[in-house]
Amino acid sequence: MARAAGAAEAAAGGRAGHRLTETPAPAGPGTTLRGFFGVFRYSRRAIELVWSTNRVLTVAFAALTLIAGVLPAAVAYVGAQIVDSVVAAINAGGRDASRVIEFVVLEGVLVASIAGAQRGLSLCQSLLRAQLGQRVNVMILEKALTLELAHFEDSEFYDKLTRARREASSRPLALVTRTFGLAQNAVSLVSYGVLLVQFSPWAVAILLLAGLPAFIAEAKFSGDAFRLFRWRSPETRMQMYLETVLAREDYAKEVKLYGLGPRLLDRYRDIFRRLYREDRALTIRRDAWGFALGLIATIALYGAYAWIAVTTVQGAITLGEMTMYLMLFRQGQSAVSASLSAVGGMYEDNLYLSTLYEYLDTEVPRSSGTATRGPDPSDGIRFEDVSFTYPGASEPALEHVSFHLPPGRSLALVGENGSGKTTLIKLLTRLYRPTSGRILLDGLDLEEWDEKALRERIGVIFQDFARYQMLVGENVGAGDERHFEDEARWREAAEKGRASEFIEQLPRGYHTQLGKWFREGRELSGGQWQKIALSRAFMRTRADILVLDEPTAAMDAQAEAEVFEHFRQLARDRITILISHRFSTVRMADEILVLDRGRIVERGSHEQLMQKNGRYAHLFTLQARGYR
Ligand code: ADP
């Protein structure tokens, strides 16, 4: 029975996302022991977490656990007294039942106390669950704020983050509940032992030893499943991803039009089938062992039953004592069962916590820079022989890039897709660090700049700028965190970004909700979004380096040229960097860098490059012909 409960719970947990994992694991005394203790690996950290979340509740939780653990033995003891006092009263002529009544009342009080303790436990749990869920979520998000872009682009890491978030509100408390539950059962077992030892120490040995094999087996299988689940993580991740693609609004359009649904769903099913085969193997093995070992326990227990009954018949113990010992055995068995199912669930909680703590313990290289200004503000930006290779990539994305861009100048980056233009911007904004070479701002290496001071200097609009599902005004305000809610500044920036016209026509003007996730959310066209993004850049009035990474691609060529011209005028003593595929805009820049596979292949002004009659001139002519 115990095994069935444990397995059902594990199977249910498996369906809820964390599937059991199993491929044949090497078994041996070492793995058994490790599997056994593996189940408790994170219990201490979980308890610390709960303790630091709310001490009063934790103490109450522990105290109630203890009370709920001891009381059942007391009930069994009083039960015996009732039977014995009934027998004694009958033998005494049946006149005085007052002692019997006293014991009955006492038992009633004890049973009511058990019920009270259990209510108290579930109350503590509900309160702790809410607090703990919030606390863990905040911990996860706070950590997310300190991470580098590279972390988010690392699939393994991203996996940790999403898994940590998914079950943040339930897992830590579940582990604590189960750990305490285990403790409660242990306390019960000890108290049963104290009473049973009067019958015979052997009876205590039988009670504990009979349950031990099943307990160890459960812990071992749980430990195995715990380790093996992690190996299977990529497949589970793919399943999660397919779920997203099939059920999220931003994919729905394409999935429908291209009819990708059935194929993707088939993939989803295939993965399940593969994983299920392994799950089945583990579950069958677990349950077969559980049944066999559970049978030993049952045989031992019923042997003890017979022994107690025979002893009573022989007159060595009273009827009341027999009732008590039988009850102790029965309850002892169910305490063992409850422990088994607790252990069965604990591995999943452990799995969760291991992911959580790995995520929280991720080392983030702290920038040591503290400078808020450089020695030579007239120097602007300098790239000195900068090369960069993405983590895990074999080819460098940028190689030996050098250029100098003083304040007041504008630069355009030209090159095919994948030639390294965006990467260059990511390095400049220190989202990544160069693999070799260095980047200077105002004569000071970016490494030495205080990160915040550096970022305040730069306003960037990426090709894939964020579209916040918030108010229109906040979408503009996002450009300068300090003025996020400053309506006057929104208007000013939107004016410059040419967004004010259409914003004012929206039903609630700057207070219109954007995006489909919320009620009355409006969707904007691509071009309108880009105007919002441009306005966002204009929020950064203190930024003296402005970067436009193709944010105008959804506008027509005329509008793009106007925007850039506008930008240049507003940014007379600033540095402007532009990435565009439109030469009509690019030609306006003071300096143009032509990139090819991470290298600068040509540089100069439009006129110089045209005279040179190289790649730039070729591409320019090609495009100009298209327009004619
Ligand atoms: P562009 O902006 O010129 O289109 P990118 O700078 O985005 O080009 O990309 C340059 C090269 O770096 C490409 O080969 C691309 O595949 C690679 N790359 C871009 N982003 C990443 C990334 N996050 N991780 C690994 N490789 C990347």
Side-chain angles (χ1 to χ4, degrees), residues 153 390-391 393 397 415-424 426 432 463:
E153 291 180 347
Y390 279 101
E416 290 172 15
N417 291 325
S419 58
K421 305 182 294 291
T422 302
T423 305
L424 191 148
K426 287 184 185 162
Y432 284 99
Q463 219 166 327

Side-chain angles (χ1 to χ4, degrees), residues 51 68 88 96 102 123 125 152 154 237 249-250 259 265 270 295 330 377 380 387 468 470 500 539 542 545 569 571:
W51 171 248
D96 184 13
E102 272 170 32
L123 176 72
Q125 265 182 39
F152 289 95
D154 171 358
R237 201 182 320 149
E249 114 275 10
D250 38 353
L265 192 57
D270 277 347
L295 212 55
R330 210 173 302 131
S387 298
Y468 301 104
M470 299 180 194
S500 56
M539 281 294 289
R542 267 165 314 176
I545 301 166
Q569 276 172 13

